[in-house]
Amino acid sequence: MEINPNFSENARNDYHLVLSAKTGNQKAYAELMHRYKDSIYFMVLKMVNHKDDAMDLTVSTFAKAFENIEKYKPDFAFSTWLFRIATNSSIDFIRKKRLQTTSLDSFNHEEGEDRVLEIKSDVLNPEESSIKKQQTEQLKEIIDKLPIRYKTLIILRYFDELSYEEISVQLDLPLGTVKAQLFRARDLLSNILNKRKKDPGSEF
């Protein structure tokens, strides 16, 4: 099978390990896990904010990847495919957990997840750029309470510092949808922060 000609050397090495793993080579599986277990764990930890849950999700991510390794195709790097599995698993976990705890209907709007909004500019203004510098517990708490699709985008864009294109690949979403939802996520987060400034005792 022809691999993506734009693959980096690491991506090519990963693909050779995948091919070896497909033949049942356990050392290849172990090497792939060794390469990505830490980065997967810390990405998941940012999303679920719980070490034990992050560890469980990391293990399940590799389990899902290895169980479905025959489905992997070298259109994208193995790492991209793996991080997509981890992201989707984390989103499913958070959704299930929230169903058992609290409702965030106040943040759910009529528009669907794929609705494209009008965006005047892709250039972040200073206020938006400052989001990535705000590492306070209060901000993390607010982000954690955002609807899962917005929380995920904020984390990937401002904490993991992925590009729009990288987020599009990782979440398997159209580029326009990613930009639209990030626009909405920034707007929602800004409104919550402004409300807190005016009313410090407000929950949101």
Side-chain angles (χ1 to χ4, degrees), residues 99-184:
L99 285 175
Q100 298 171 355
T101 54
T102 184
S103 172
L104 294 177
D105 290 340
S106 60
F107 285 105
N108 292 329
H109 299 272
E110 293 181 359
E111 64 262 28
E113 290 188 359
D114 291 333
R115 179 178 176 185
V116 178
L117 305 176
E118 292 294 330
I119 301 176
K120 294 181 179 179
S121 174
D122 289 333
V123 179
L124 301 181
N125 61 41
E127 180 180 356
E128 292 168 332
S129 297
S130 69
I131 290 177
K132 68 174 65 177
K133 299 178 183 179
Q134 298 181 50
Q135 301 291 331
T136 64
E137 288 302 316
Q138 183 184 46
L139 181 59
K140 291 180 180 179
E141 179 183 344
I142 294 172
I143 292 173
D144 191 50
K145 292 179 180 178
L146 292 174
I148 183 60
R149 65 181 181 273
Y150 297 143
K151 174 185 175 181
T152 302
L153 288 167
I154 289 290
I155 288 173
L156 293 177
R157 178 62 175 165
Y158 297 109
F159 288 84
D160 293 347
E161 299 186 352
L162 299 187
S163 67
Y164 292 117
E165 291 76 11
E166 289 171 329
I167 295 172
S168 173
V169 171
Q170 184 158 321
L171 298 182
D172 195 21
L173 290 173
L175 185 59
T177 300
V178 169
K179 291 182 178 181
Q181 290 190 11
L182 264 170
F183 178 85
R184 177 59 184 152

